[in-house]
Every structure is written in structure tokens, then in C-alpha cells.
Amino acid sequence: MELPASFIDYTRALLGDEEYDKLAVAIQQEPPVSIRLNDGKLKIENGKCRIVPQAGCITDFQLSAFNFEFNQVPWSSEGFYLDERLTFTFDPLFHAGCYYVQEASSMFVEQVLRQYVTGPVKMLDLCAAPGGKSTHARSVLPEGSLLVANEVIRNRSQILAENLTKWGHPDAVVTNNDPADFAALPSFFDVILTDVPCSGEGMFRKDPVAVEEWSPENVEICWQRQRRIIGDIWDTLKPGGILIYSTCTFNTKEDEENARWIQQEYGGEPLTVQVQENWNITGDLLSDKGDHSKSSIPVYHFFPHKTKGEGFFLVAFRKPETEEEIPVSSSAKEKAFKKKDKKGTAASSPVSKEYLNMAKSWLNDENSDKYILLAEGTNIRAFSQYYTNELATMKQSLKIVSAGIEIGEVKGKDLIPNHALAMCTSLLCREAFATEEISYEQAITYLRKEAITLPVTAPRGYVLLTYRHIPLGFVKNIGNRANNLYPQEWRIRSGYLPENIRILSESTVD
């Protein structure tokens, strides 16, 4: 890989000859592969992976791709390095939302959330696609929290919604908005993560396009855009709330200088994140360069020649408690509730009480009381009772892609279970459906959205398919075949199996 000459000159001056030479060597090497397990679907005990479905069936299996004891990402409770890249597309556990392929350095966001978020919060992940940090935050946030994950580009917001659906947590909303649109929600969020668009220097070895597109002019465009984004959403943060600012780049214009700007422009109080010395995280580069005209602030740089991961930068701030909270206008609230009846269900919905009761029977008793069923057109979804007012308010100014868990859709005289219900193991009542455990080959057939044949003993009607006892999705068994209900746009498009398949579980595939 040939790096741009201006990047070399700038970064060498920033780091010094010795450090830059080490970085240059690291950038030419193969990047490490890391994943983060979904602790809502997989548990690790004594070096084995344990699946504990709602039905009480316990299944243990060895994960052959890594050694838990030695390969854990140090700053992430569920993050692990792999010995080699898996054939993720052909791993049913990946499609079932059991793990997410995420760059290790970016998992450091977990440390801010664990150290500074101690109770239920409303959190905004502003630049969220494809969903790595959103699924991570959703796993780490305290119970009772609501995550709003936003993406400004429409097709990427659909990918974000897909990944959050597979992750399976019911307390999430996906939106498709420009940062400026959130100005209609002043003092709304307790935590905002802004993983802002950047020049991408930290991703050079993973993304050749980032190298091709890099230029000093693009760096200038990026740091100015980043400030506009912060300006757009600052009032959306509650007084005392936490702003997490991150990039995947090295230069100080997008990193330290923007951090100082947030501190000076908005009075943000920089937060110190406790780290271990052996994580080899780098601090304030401007301070290291002897720039004593400005006081050092706690920032966290990940360089690939020092930490096992890609380039990443993070700084966290607390918004001053003394700043006045801005109320949402009363007119916005009135609009939000005009369309809602007392139960929170759209008054004009054609969905009958019979279908609502059927949908409720598909939810397990342990968690169903925490959620209200909302009928929107012919669709029924479950959403947290605690946040229905907030959802109504957001609908007035934001484009909602998905909210909560879609339970099913009424078609003719039938209520068809939605794939999202199968993915949400905390809400799904396993006993409400006949269940069939399928083989690896059948799972791939299903994920290609091809018809599969169930045993003659399988009952007619809607059947929940499981792979290694983890829900994979629904089919409608009509006897001679089963109609595949897997989402068309999510299907595996490849018609062949690779010669060597490497998946997370130990069993081999011929």
C-alpha cells in the first residue's frame, strides 16, 4: 500500500520518526479479526459457549475459532479476537444475531458507558450504521434504557435496522435523519455518541478506498463538518448528560483540536476514563508535542502499532449541570398525543382486538407486561410502556425506520409472525410455536430463502426453526413443503458453499 506523501509528512511530524516508522509497518500488516458476542443469546462458562433458550433447554458447545482465556479484547467484556477470519456469510449463528463482527478498538466505548452510566437512560447513537457501536451500547446500557440509533443515509439506515433486529433487544429505535433534525428534541437525551464521519486514517489497512480518498483538503472538510454536527445536537443533550466524541483517524485537527473546541465552545467537562497501562492507549498528542498554550485533556488514541486493533480516537464530556434545560414545546407534545388513544394504539388501526390478543400470546409472560402492543396499519409491534410518550414525541420530527419489536402482520384472515419476534429471545414465547431444530445444510437453505421440507411429524402452520437451539426464523408448514418467511432483502445471495467453511461452532461442515 502506498500512503499519500502529505499524510506521511504530517504524521511523522506528529509522532516522531521512531513511532511513525512502527505505525507504517503496522499499516502494511493484515488487520486482526474480532467479534463481540451477544450476551442475550450466548453465555460463556468455563471456556464453553452456553445457550439458554427461554424453553429451558441448555446446550453447550465448544467455539473452535479462539481461546477465551487468551483472546479476549481487554476493554470489552464480550469482545474476542479470532485466530483467523471466519466465513461469516455462511455461519447461521451470525445471522441469528449471536455475535457481531466489530473492530476491537471501537469497543472502547464500553468503558465510558460502564464507568459513567449507572441507571436507565435515553441514548442517541447519532452516526450509527452499520450498527457495531449501537448493538454494543444496547448490550451495555442498564436495563430500562432506550437506545435511538440514527443514520442519515437511507439505505444504510436499513442495514442498521437489520443488524439491531438480529441483535434482538426490544428497547431500540432506528431513525433516518440529518443531525439538525434533532434540534426539535431539546434536552431529550442523557447520552449521545457521535462517531463522526472522518478522514479514515485509522482504517487504511482495512479499507483501500480510505487511502485513495484521503487528502489534506478532505481533512479540512471533515473537522469543519464534525463541528457542525456537534453544534446541531448539543442542545439535544440534557444538562449533566454525557457526550462521547469519536473518530477513526489519527490527526489532531479532527481529534484533539475538536475536543478542545467542544470544551471551550460549550463548556463540556472532559471525563477521565480509567484504563489499564497494558492496553497501550495513547493520550493527548498536542500535549506530548509540547503545546503548553492549551491545557491537556483526557483523550484516548488507539494506534495499530501499539494496540491490537485499528486506529481510533475517543473523548467524553459532561454537559454543565448549570446549563438550563430546554423543554420540548407544548405544541409538539399536543401533536404527539392527538393520534394516540389511551392505550397508545393508533385509533384508526384496522387490527382487531382478536389479533392483538393473539400477538400478545406470542410474548412470554415474564417480560410482556413491560411492553405495549402498538397497531400501525396492519402491523403489530411491541414497545416499552415506559417510553411510549417519547416515541410519540420523536414521531413528530423524526423519520422512524423501526421501533421496538415487530410482532406480526395481518394479511387476510391470518396474523403472520415477523422475523423480528424470532430474533428477540427476551420477548418470544417459545411455547407459542411448534419448533423444529434444523441441520447446518437446512439452515443455509433457509437463509437463502429457499423452500425447505420438514419432517412428516411437524405440525401444519407457523413453525419456529432453530439452529443449535437458537431461533433462526419462521416458516409456514403446509405439508409437502414449508413456505420460507425469512426477509427477502436479508437472504444469502450466494448460490454456492465455499470449499473450506470456518464457522464459530466446533462442528465441521463437509
Side-chain angles (χ1 to χ4, degrees):
M1 169 194 318
E2 186 174 348
L3 299 175
S6 50
F7 168 80
I8 295 173
D9 293 341
Y10 173 86
T11 310
R12 185 181 293 278
L14 179 67
L15 300 180
D17 289 339
E18 183 178 353
E19 285 298 305
Y20 174 78
D21 288 342
K22 292 177 181 177
L23 173 63
V25 170
I27 288 177
Q28 300 296 336
Q29 296 171 346
E30 282 295 315
V33 181
S34 51
I35 63 171
R36 184 173 35 77
L37 300 184
N38 185 343
D39 63 359
K41 298 185 179 184
L42 299 180
K43 300 290 184 184
I44 298 173
E45 296 178 5
N46 301 319
K48 287 190 176 182
C49 189
R50 169 160 288 192
I51 303 167
V52 187
Q54 294 294 318
C57 171
I58 297 177
T59 301
D60 287 345
F61 61 90
Q62 186 70 39
L63 300 183
S64 60
F66 55 87
N67 183 306
F68 291 111
E69 184 177 356
F70 299 107
N71 285 26
Q72 183 161 7
V73 175
W75 43 87
S76 175
S77 57
E78 304 296 334
F80 295 89
Y81 297 105
L82 301 185
D83 295 333
E84 61 181 294
R85 190 169 187 84
L86 305 182
T87 43
F88 297 117
T89 300
F90 298 95
D91 189 348
L93 295 183
F94 172 69
H95 294 278
C98 291
Y99 65 93
Y100 191 96
V101 185
Q102 183 178 357
E103 194 282 306
S105 299
S106 67
M107 298 182 195
F108 184 67
V109 171
E110 174 177 329
Q111 293 300 317
V112 183
L113 296 178
R114 290 200 183 278
Q115 293 178 36
Y116 286 100
V117 179
T118 58
V121 294
K122 296 194 297 288
M123 175 176 172
L124 170 64
D125 184 356
L126 184 67
C127 312
K133 296 181 185 66
S134 289
T135 54
H136 194 183
R138 189 53 277 180
S139 292
V140 172
L141 288 172
E143 184 178 355
S145 298
L146 178 70
L147 175 71
V148 178
N150 178 71
E151 172 55 44
V152 66
I153 301 173
R154 185 179 179 185
N155 66 330
R156 284 172 56 83
S157 72
Q158 297 296 330
I159 296 170
L160 173 63
E162 174 185 344
N163 286 325
L164 274 166
T165 297
K166 289 177 178 177
W167 203 247
H169 198 292
D171 297 338
V173 176
V174 176
T175 59
N176 171 215
N177 286 87
D178 186 88
D181 296 338
F182 288 89
L185 300 173
S187 302
F188 194 82
F189 295 103
D190 304 284
V191 181
I192 299 179
L193 168 61
T194 55
D195 186 46
V196 291
C198 69
S199 59
E201 297 164 356
M203 304 300 287
F204 277 0
R205 67 179 176 181
K206 287 189 69 175
D207 184 7
V209 176
V211 180
E212 295 172 8
E213 293 182 348
W214 187 93
S215 69
E217 293 76 20
N218 191 38
V219 170
E220 291 296 312
I221 292 171
C222 284
W223 72 257
Q224 294 175 61
R225 180 195 296 130
Q226 291 152 1
R227 293 189 184 189
R228 286 196 299 271
I229 290 172
I230 298 301
D232 285 338
I233 54 87
W234 183 259
D235 285 344
T236 298
L237 186 63
K238 288 181 178 179
I242 295 170
L243 173 75
I244 305 170
Y245 175 89
S246 65
T247 75
C248 56
T249 203
F250 304 133
N251 70 78
T252 60
K253 289 188 175 184
E254 298 176 71
D255 294 346
E256 278 88 347
E257 291 179 38
N258 271 353
R260 283 173 165 80
W261 177 81
I262 294 170
Q263 180 187 35
Q264 295 162 6
E265 184 75 11
Y266 296 105
E269 173 198 346
L271 299 177
T272 299
V273 183
Q274 298 300 318
V275 301
Q276 301 296 319
E277 186 176 351
N278 61 3
W279 295 355
N280 295 319
I281 298 173
T282 302
D284 191 331
L285 293 178
L286 291 181
S287 175
D288 290 345
K289 296 299 290 182
D291 183 356
H292 301 299
S293 62
K294 300 173 183 177
S295 58
S296 177
I297 60 177
V299 303
Y300 305 88
H301 268 291
F302 288 70
F303 284 94
H305 66 292
K306 300 177 75 172
T307 55
K308 192 175 180 180
E310 303 311 298
F312 185 67
F313 171 86
L314 181 143
V315 61
F317 297 92
R318 188 180 298 281
K319 188 173 186 176
E321 295 271 9
T322 55
E323 194 164 314
E324 184 178 351
E325 183 167 332
I326 307 170
V328 177
S329 68
S330 58
S331 60
K333 289 183 179 180
E334 287 174 9
K335 288 180 183 177
F337 294 111
K338 270 185 179 179
K339 298 182 180 179
K340 295 289 173 180
D341 63 16
K342 292 181 180 179
K343 294 182 180 180
T345 303
S348 61
S349 171
V351 175
S352 68
K353 186 176 181 181
E354 178 186 359
Y355 287 124
L356 287 171
N357 288 336
M358 183 183 297
K360 187 173 183 179
S361 72
W362 292 350
L363 308 182
N364 67 64
D365 293 335
E366 182 181 352
N367 292 316
S368 64
D369 289 344
K370 302 174 186 176
Y371 295 86
I372 193 166
L373 293 182
L374 303 174
E376 300 173 347
T378 57
N379 296 312
I380 302 173
R381 67 177 61 252
F383 193 79
S384 169
Q385 295 227 32
Y386 186 75
Y387 290 109
T388 53
N389 291 350
E390 285 81 355
L391 178 61
T393 300
M394 285 190 287
K395 283 183 175 180
Q396 300 311 304
S397 54
L398 303 179
K399 288 179 283 186
I400 306 293
V401 178
S402 66
I405 297 296
E406 189 163 337
I407 305 301
E409 180 182 6
V410 177
K411 284 192 175 181
K413 297 182 179 180
D414 210 1
L415 179 62
I416 303 173
N418 190 276
H419 186 75
L421 176 61
M423 296 293 95
C424 184
T425 54
S426 64
L427 279 185
L428 172 67
C429 177
R430 295 282 288 266
E431 293 84 356
F433 299 95
T435 301
E436 286 290 333
E437 174 75 4
I438 59 177
S439 67
Y440 175 83
E441 290 76 11
Q442 287 176 304
I444 295 300
T445 298
Y446 175 75
L447 293 168
R448 285 175 171 151
K449 199 172 171 58
E450 298 171 355
I452 68 172
T453 302
L454 298 181
V456 293
T457 54
R460 303 286 182 94
Y462 294 110
V463 177
L464 177 68
L465 302 184
T466 62
Y467 171 76
R468 290 193 171 277
H469 302 285
I470 290 179
L472 198 60
F474 293 105
V475 295
K476 186 175 183 179
N477 187 26
I478 57 175
N480 60 333
R481 72 176 191 280
N483 291 338
N484 193 328
L485 300 182
Y486 192 71
Q488 174 74 15
E489 62 275 17
W490 298 0
R491 72 191 187 282
I492 297 175
R493 289 173 169 78
S494 174
Y496 75 97
L497 282 176
E499 194 170 312
N500 296 311
I501 295 175
R502 190 89 159 90
I503 59 177
L504 197 62
S505 55
E506 187 177 50
S507 60
T508 57
V509 180
D510 296 328

